[in-house]
Amino acid sequence: MKRIGNLYDTICSTENLYAAYLKAKQGKAKSYGIVLFDKNFESNMEAIQAELISGCYRTSDYSIFTIYDPKERTVYRLPFRDRIVHHAIMNVVGEIWVSTFISNTYACIKGRGINGVLVHLKRDLKDDENTRYCLKMDVKKFYPSIDHVILKTIVRKKIKDVRLLKLLDEIIDSAPGVPIGNYLSQFLANLYLTYFDHWIKEQKQVKYYYRYADDIVILAPDKAYLHGLLTEISFYLYSELNLQLKGNYQVFPVEARGIDFVGYVFRHTHILMRKAIKVRFCRKAAKLNKKDIDAKAYKMQISPHLGWAKHCDSKHLIKKIIKHEEIL
């Protein structure tokens, strides 16, 4: 496998750091941290560049808090200057890492995401005979459980630039596991499972496989085959990546219950919105229906839910709950 070097100078370049600044700022320009950073923009950018060039950059202290929706998670937040550094790294190494990902992993990859899952899974479910059964599973405490030694070894499979590896090692070691909330974390987490993906597709010859972060769906014609594969997967994850599957894994007939994945329930003949999302959609519409607002304002407030709805079979639901007919 070809390893790539001579990347660090590009990461530290003025042009790349400014591009990283713009990406990190996008959609957040009025936040306090960015406004404060911009008051001394030139000196702050020069300081970041100087620290990177000299090799003395160190990750700032995290602000740690807990969120509870949709489930309880510990989130690590860094100051704006560190987010610029993460974007600067990804501007250069992003394509290198993405080139190692198989086409059936979707989370946090430009041009894929949930829409990629929808396209592939909808297409593959047309093969009724070979998608009769589903194995659905996810990794236990995936982000906090990522092993730093193993992750650094995986990073080194594609990168040999010593200065960049030192920088990445420092960021990796700045928090336990891979911290939820870091821009870089979502890519490192994907990278951590990418060789598992290759093992599934190339050695185990699994045809219908889909991974979104650590949520995994595998389809096959035979229930016993999936149970056997589950045992092999559990052993691989533990022995190679020091990970464990959650105990709530499921093997079931697709026809009986559908595949609850990435916010939708997939069946051979149609796709529905996940019940929890549908409930939030209905509650939002009910609140808006009580307000005297025009169609434009109504659509703006409900557009995220309409975005979910347009990718599944929900015409009857939308007609039933939307007040303004002109936006249907």
Side-chain angles (χ1 to χ4, degrees):
M1 180 181 293
K2 184 180 179 181
R3 298 170 69 228
I4 301 171
N6 300 318
L7 301 169
Y8 198 75
D9 288 339
T10 304
I11 290 171
C12 298
S13 70
T14 301
E15 295 79 10
N16 183 56
L17 287 172
Y18 184 67
Y21 160 80
L22 293 177
K23 285 185 178 180
K25 184 178 181 178
Q26 192 171 9
K28 304 172 184 176
K30 295 182 180 179
S31 68
Y32 175 76
I34 296 176
V35 172
L36 194 64
F37 185 93
D38 284 350
K39 285 183 178 179
N40 297 290
F41 172 74
E42 288 188 10
S43 60
N44 285 331
M45 291 294 288
E46 288 172 1
I48 292 171
Q49 187 176 44
E51 289 176 28
L52 288 171
I53 291 172
S54 66
C56 66
Y57 167 82
R58 296 294 180 270
T59 301
S60 304
D61 292 336
Y62 287 92
S63 172
I64 304 172
F65 57 96
T66 303
I67 60 173
Y68 298 92
D69 186 24
K71 60 183 178 180
E72 184 175 338
R73 293 185 179 201
T74 300
V75 177
Y76 291 70
R77 182 168 58 199
L78 283 171
F80 181 59
R81 71 188 315 271
D82 297 272
R83 299 204 297 273
I84 293 172
V85 173
H86 287 202
H87 278 277
I89 294 169
M90 287 309 303
N91 284 349
V92 177
V93 305
E95 289 188 10
I96 297 170
W97 284 345
V98 170
S99 70
T100 69
F101 299 160
I102 67 169
S103 61
N104 295 103
T105 183
Y106 305 93
C108 309
I109 303 173
K110 188 176 180 180
R112 300 190 198 179
I114 291 174
N115 285 345
V117 179
L118 284 161
V119 170
H120 289 167
L121 196 45
K122 184 178 180 180
R123 176 200 65 198
D124 295 342
L125 282 168
K126 292 178 181 178
D127 183 3
D128 291 31
E129 186 62 30
N130 291 307
T131 58
R132 290 174 59 205
Y133 289 94
C134 174
L135 166 59
K136 188 171 182 290
M137 56 192 164
D138 61 334
V139 176
K140 183 178 181 181
K141 296 183 178 179
F142 175 49
Y143 276 71
S145 298
I146 289 177
D147 186 299
H148 288 185
V149 174
I150 297 172
L151 177 57
K152 290 174 186 178
T153 301
I154 292 172
V155 168
R156 282 159 172 76
K157 288 187 176 184
K158 287 296 291 184
I159 295 173
K160 65 178 180 181
D161 186 309
V162 175
R163 289 185 295 167
L164 175 54
L165 289 172
K166 182 182 176 182
L167 174 61
L168 289 171
D169 286 351
E170 192 281 328
I171 294 171
I172 289 168
D173 288 335
S174 66
V178 168
I180 296 171
N182 268 6
Y183 175 68
L184 195 55
S185 291
Q186 54 197 353
F187 297 97
L188 290 172
N190 250 344
L191 188 67
Y192 198 71
L193 288 176
T194 193
Y195 296 101
F196 164 73
D197 295 337
H198 284 279
W199 175 76
I200 284 282
K201 295 294 289 185
E202 294 157 17
Q203 294 192 39
K204 301 312 298 177
Q205 297 287 299
V206 175
K207 184 176 183 180
Y208 295 129
Y209 169 81
Y210 320 86
R211 180 172 68 80
Y212 193 93
D214 64 311
D215 291 326
I216 297 168
V217 163
I218 298 175
L219 303 177
D222 183 73
K223 189 174 182 179
Y225 164 77
L226 289 176
H227 278 291
L229 184 61
L230 173 64
T231 301
E232 292 187 74
I233 287 171
S234 181
F235 180 76
Y236 180 100
L237 291 175
Y238 182 74
S239 61
E240 299 292 329
L241 299 174
N242 199 21
L243 297 174
Q244 293 182 358
L245 290 175
K246 282 184 184 177
N248 62 349
Y249 57 82
Q250 307 162 48
V251 177
F252 57 90
V254 173
E255 196 63 34
R257 53 191 284 195
I259 306 162
D260 190 337
F261 191 46
V262 298
Y264 297 94
V265 178
F266 296 83
R267 296 182 182 273
H268 287 108
T269 55
H270 59 282
I271 304 171
L272 298 177
M273 202 182 300
R274 178 181 287 162
K275 183 178 179 181
I277 296 174
K278 183 172 70 174
V279 168
R280 289 198 291 270
F281 186 15
C282 292
R283 286 175 179 170
K284 180 70 173 180
K287 287 181 181 179
L288 290 175
N289 290 343
K290 295 177 182 178
K291 298 180 181 180
D292 186 20
I293 57 177
D294 61 26
K296 184 177 179 181
Y298 187 97
K299 186 175 182 178
M300 284 182 64
Q301 293 192 49
I302 209 163
S303 59
H305 297 87
L306 286 174
W308 280 97
K310 74 178 183 179
H311 293 295
C312 62
D313 299 280
S314 60
K315 290 182 180 179
H316 295 299
L317 173 67
I318 293 172
K319 287 181 180 179
K320 186 175 181 180
I321 67 174
I322 297 297
K323 176 182 177 181
H324 288 275
E325 293 185 2
E326 54 265 51
I327 72 172
L328 297 178

